[in-house]
Amino acid sequence: MTEALKRILEVLKLAEKLKYELRHSWLSNGRQESVAEHSWRVALMAVLLEPYLEHRIDTAKLLKMITIHDLVEAEASDIPAFDTMDNQQAQMEKHQRELRAIENIRNTLGDELGIDIQELWLEFEAKSSYEARVANALDKLEAQLQHNEANIDTWLEIEYKMAFMLGKHTDFDKALIAFRELVEQEAESKIQQAGISVHDYQQML
């Protein structure tokens, strides 16, 4: 058991990097957000929204997926969605880097635990289960929620359009659709308050 615990300790030390790996998101107090902070609130969203989901869900599995999903970024770093959105080559390179990272984590942990962690990560990526689709939706919703809370001066122009592109991630569950609409309403209000035409960006979809 001691050797297994040493391997777990090694992965926990890797995970510490997520506390200072920064995302392209800013907090309401003007500080840049870390990956660890994003992952924490996605997990909190899962706990709070779980009673309202349309179908029964394996909550433990959902929380495990959310907790480990961004772990690869401790090695592969965080790459904003807008950097790969219309670039297949960049998408492939990002995926390959993350695949290598999760393989390294699997090998570090070894045995059953390493395989279980890798399989959960792959399931999330493939969105091949209800839990994985919920985890993916919450991941995207939290990112937009954080943008809504940040100063709009931190938004890139592409993010005005991206604020209204969440439907494809939530359209399988009524509760997630309703929550997405609340988040989008906040984004729309924020954009309008900045004197920017929301209609122009909605027309791009």
Side-chain angles (χ1 to χ4, degrees), residues 4-186:
L5 294 177
K6 284 181 179 178
R7 292 195 293 269
I8 289 170
L9 183 59
E10 198 172 330
V11 172
L12 290 172
K13 288 179 180 293
L14 173 70
E16 191 260 347
K17 293 182 180 179
L18 297 183
K19 295 184 179 184
Y20 58 80
E21 176 67 29
L22 300 180
R23 290 167 54 82
H24 179 72
S25 296
W26 299 79
L27 306 182
S28 58
N29 68 355
R31 178 173 65 77
Q32 201 165 355
E33 178 192 37
S34 73
V35 174
E37 290 166 324
H38 162 71
S39 294
W40 166 79
R41 192 158 66 163
V42 177
L44 179 61
M45 288 170 70
V47 171
L48 298 178
L49 291 171
E50 184 267 339
Y52 299 95
L53 296 173
E54 272 189 86
H55 305 290
R56 291 180 64 85
I57 197 165
D58 184 337
T59 307
K61 182 180 182 180
L62 175 63
L63 290 173
K64 284 179 182 179
M65 279 186 178
I66 291 167
T67 303
I68 67 166
H69 173 247
D70 287 329
L71 184 54
V72 293
E73 294 179 9
E75 182 179 314
S77 75
D78 178 72
I79 300 173
F82 51 75
D83 280 355
T84 62
M85 188 166 59
D86 298 315
N87 187 330
Q88 287 190 337
Q89 179 67 24
Q91 289 174 19
M92 185 178 69
E93 289 174 2
K94 176 181 183 289
H95 186 61
Q96 289 301 318
R97 287 170 64 181
E98 292 183 346
L99 275 176
R100 287 194 296 271
I102 196 64
E103 286 169 5
N104 290 339
I105 291 165
R106 179 202 65 201
N107 292 335
T108 300
L109 289 169
D111 303 329
E112 248 179 84
L113 180 58
I115 293 169
D116 286 347
I117 294 297
Q118 183 184 37
E119 287 180 350
L120 282 168
W121 187 87
L122 290 170
E123 186 175 327
F124 182 111
E125 286 293 295
K127 297 190 279 289
S128 57
S129 66
Y130 182 62
E131 287 81 5
R133 283 181 287 160
V134 170
N136 173 72
L138 297 179
D139 180 52
K140 300 298 188 294
L141 287 165
E142 199 287 330
Q144 186 57 52
L145 177 59
Q146 188 58 62
H147 283 314
N148 292 351
E149 293 166 333
N151 190 310
I152 201 162
D153 291 343
T154 65
W155 288 34
L156 300 177
E157 185 173 0
I158 194 172
E159 290 174 309
Y160 298 120
K161 174 184 172 183
M162 290 176 69
F164 305 104
M165 294 174 62
L166 297 168
K168 60 185 178 182
H169 303 292
T170 62
D171 61 6
F172 65 94
D173 186 280
K174 290 178 182 177
L176 294 176
I177 291 170
F179 190 76
R180 182 204 81 218
E181 288 171 350
L182 292 175
V183 173
E184 285 183 344
Q185 286 167 16
E186 282 193 349

